[in-house]
Amino acid sequence: MEPRGTKRGAGKIEAAEPHNKLPRPAPSLPTDPALYSGSFPFYRRPSQLGCFSLDTQRQYHGDARALRYYSPPPANGQGPNFDLRDGYPDRYQPRDEEVQERLDHLLRWLLEHRGQLEGGPGWLAGAIVTWRGHLTKLLTTPYERQEGWQLAASRFQGTLYLSEVETLAAQAQRLARPPLLRELMYMGYKFEQYMCADKPGGSPDPSGEVNTNMAFCSVLRSRLGNHPLLFSGEVDCTDPQAPSSQPPTCYVELKTSKEMHSPGQWRSFYRHKLLKWWAQSFLLGVPNVVAGFRNPEGFICSLKTFPTMQMFEHVRNDRDGWNPSVCMNFCAAFLSFAQNTVVQDDPRLVHLFSWEPGRPVTVSVYQDAPHAFLPTWYVDAMTQDLSLPPKTPSPKD
Ligand code: GDP
Ligand code: MG
């Protein structure tokens, strides 16, 4: 990592201390789990506002065309035997990770639906807009010992937008990703192909290509404590046989993990992997995570469904386990911290929240490129709205 306080980022703003005040320490937010162990905060049942799809070319479509349908192998058979390495690398079209999309696709959805948002006029102005994946990182922060994060924040027309910035360490790791790790990433997507059909009631087609440009994203409304949230998350598939067909309760998250043999391996899985699975699925209201366990040869030979609301039971009596209250209380505290820190309404002003394991969250301030992330097309279209006369309903509406 870059040593602190040595480089001056382009456009970084130096805050001058007013002469009539004592110097105030730079604000920061601690992340120790012990500080967040109160009761579970209010979290509104996430409701889906809409969705969008990204196609094989990563082009946006305001519909559900990329949604796939849960199609597990028949339960009466001998169990699965999925070769996750099949098709690698010749039938693999990986997404270009150099392209930093930031909030762009979600902002396009928001721009096209801003007139029909529920919650009444002004709801958006009080909300936080972000990706589900960014919130997942916040939820797991009190327990994370490996990877830090950076979140850029801008306030615009009242709304607080949060967009992740890849850390230098994450960028270095991505560029030097070992071949085995690349193949492991492919295997996760290949599992989805074995478990999903393109049509309800259809069968999976593992002969096709794995193209990770394709994505179905659900857009949801929720609230954590007093923080209204509008966020979007990628959904693996919907279960046509789910007890309720209402999204997000019909959605299924698919995961792969190494086959486990000893109680110690299960314990470690519950402490680390299940935390990430829980945080991701709980936020979006996905009720079940279906795990495929792979053997050393890369074959899935068993499946297990983990209901999201039962995951905590596996660590409830574990002194080294995780606690959902800590995750949610920390996230709520961070959102309050961000709301109180980002005071100025300016789409070109960025507060960068940075965190490294073992340290508190710190803040630095930037103007314009490279950190400003709200695109001109979005800012301009939203600004136009304000100068237009209010729309009078016509008989045709
Ligand atoms: P997740 O929970 O981490 O999978 O992330 P989200 O569900 O919030 O996905 C938000 C958007 O980011 C979607 O368009 C995804 O296709 C995309 N996305 C998911 N994982 C990654 C990643 O590792 N890198 C980048 N750049 N984008 C990703
Ligand atoms: Mg998945």
Side-chain angles (χ1 to χ4, degrees), residues 18 22 99 115 119 161 163 168 202 205 233 257 278 291 313 322 360 391 397:
L22 288 170
V99 182
Y161 296 84
S163 177
L168 289 176
D205 174 15
S257 200
W278 171 80
E313 300 309 323
W322 45 274
K391 192 170 172 269
D397 280 353

Side-chain angles (χ1 to χ4, degrees), residues 52 54 58 95 97 99 101 105 131-134 136 189 215 217 232-235 280 284:
F52 58 88
L54 304 174
R58 203 70 180 171
R95 185 175 57 82
E97 290 175 282
V99 182
E101 297 174 328
H105 298 304
W131 287 112
R132 181 270 311 273
H134 301 358
T136 305
Y189 293 112
C217 293
S232 176
E234 187 176 350
V235 169
Q280 185 190 39
L284 214 144

Side-chain angles (χ1 to χ4, degrees), residues 119 181 221 245 343:
L181 202 54
R221 170 190 173 187
S245 63
V343 176

Side-chain angles (χ1 to χ4, degrees), residues 181-182 184 188 204 237 272 292 307 373:
L181 202 54
R182 292 170 195 264
L184 216 52
C237 58
H272 303 108
F373 61 88

Side-chain angles (χ1 to χ4, degrees), residues 52-105:
F52 58 88
S53 293
L54 304 174
D55 66 17
T56 55
Q57 319 281 343
R58 203 70 180 171
Q59 292 304 301
Y60 176 102
H61 301 273
D63 55 41
R65 69 183 66 187
L67 178 59
R68 291 177 298 177
Y69 299 84
Y70 184 59
S71 176
N76 51 14
Q78 309 97 60
N81 190 40
F82 301 149
D83 180 2
L84 298 186
R85 296 161 74 185
D86 177 55
Y88 186 79
D90 32 290
R91 282 180 285 135
Y92 185 28
Q93 307 270 158
R95 185 175 57 82
D96 179 358
E97 290 175 282
E98 279 296 307
V99 182
Q100 305 285 325
E101 297 174 328
R102 310 205 259 200
L103 298 184
D104 290 9
H105 298 304

Side-chain angles (χ1 to χ4, degrees), residues 192 236 253-255:
E192 296 176 8
D236 288 338
E253 173 68 30
L254 301 170
K255 296 288 189 196

Side-chain angles (χ1 to χ4, degrees), residues 82-329:
F82 301 149
D83 180 2
L84 298 186
R85 296 161 74 185
D86 177 55
Y88 186 79
D90 32 290
R91 282 180 285 135
Y92 185 28
Q93 307 270 158
R95 185 175 57 82
D96 179 358
E97 290 175 282
E98 279 296 307
V99 182
Q100 305 285 325
E101 297 174 328
R102 310 205 259 200
L103 298 184
D104 290 9
H105 298 304
L106 171 55
L107 296 180
R108 174 157 177 194
W109 181 92
L110 190 48
L111 195 56
E112 289 171 6
H113 295 85
R114 67 191 184 286
Q116 302 112 257
L117 287 182
E118 43 174 69
W123 181 84
L124 183 59
I128 294 170
V129 171
T130 191
W131 287 112
R132 181 270 311 273
H134 301 358
L135 296 172
T136 305
K137 290 198 175 176
L138 290 172
L139 259 63
T140 59
T141 294
Y143 300 105
E144 177 64 43
R145 285 151 186 265
Q146 312 264 343
E147 281 166 18
W149 47 255
Q150 292 193 311
L151 276 175
S154 291
R155 189 181 301 286
F156 174 51
Q157 296 181 357
T159 309
L160 188 69
Y161 296 84
L162 297 176
S163 177
E164 191 179 16
V165 175
E166 190 180 48
T167 62
L168 289 176
Q171 186 191 41
Q173 280 196 20
R174 170 169 64 80
L175 296 175
R177 196 176 285 146
L180 274 173
L181 202 54
R182 292 170 195 264
E183 187 166 12
L184 216 52
M185 287 177 65
Y186 169 80
M187 290 163 72
Y189 293 112
K190 186 69 187 175
F191 177 58
E192 296 176 8
Q193 192 186 54
Y194 278 113
M195 296 287 288
C196 298
D198 288 344
K199 297 193 188 72
S203 298
D205 174 15
S207 75
E209 304 220 309
V210 169
N211 187 320
T212 59
N213 287 296
M214 226 190 297
F216 168 78
C217 293
S218 169
V219 183
L220 304 103
R221 170 190 173 187
S222 182
R223 178 161 56 88
L224 173 56
N226 58 354
H227 301 290
L229 302 173
L230 188 152
F231 60 93
S232 176
E234 187 176 350
V235 169
D236 288 338
C237 58
T238 184
D239 181 0
Q241 313 227 56
S244 160
S245 63
Q246 191 179 116
T249 60
C250 51
Y251 293 152
V252 181
E253 173 68 30
L254 301 170
K255 296 288 189 196
T256 65
S257 200
K258 227 193 257 184
E259 234 170 36
M260 288 169 291
H261 302 285
S262 71
Q265 289 174 331
W266 278 100
R267 187 75 6 245
S268 172
F269 165 81
Y270 294 146
R271 285 176 182 168
H272 303 108
K273 234 172 191 184
L274 216 49
L275 164 61
K276 307 233 166 160
W277 293 6
W278 171 80
Q280 185 190 39
S281 288
F282 177 76
L283 279 165
L284 214 144
V286 175
N288 290 297
V289 177
V290 175
F293 292 101
R294 58 181 148 72
N295 66 18
E297 290 73 47
F299 282 71
I300 295 289
C301 299
S302 65
L303 302 172
K304 187 174 167 66
T305 298
F306 292 91
T308 305
M309 297 313 265
Q310 293 168 26
M311 290 179 180
F312 173 53
E313 300 309 323
H314 295 290
V315 290
R316 190 189 281 278
N317 300 314
D318 184 346
R319 300 175 56 83
D320 295 318
W322 45 274
N323 185 327
S325 300
V326 169
C327 299
M328 299 301 279
N329 285 327

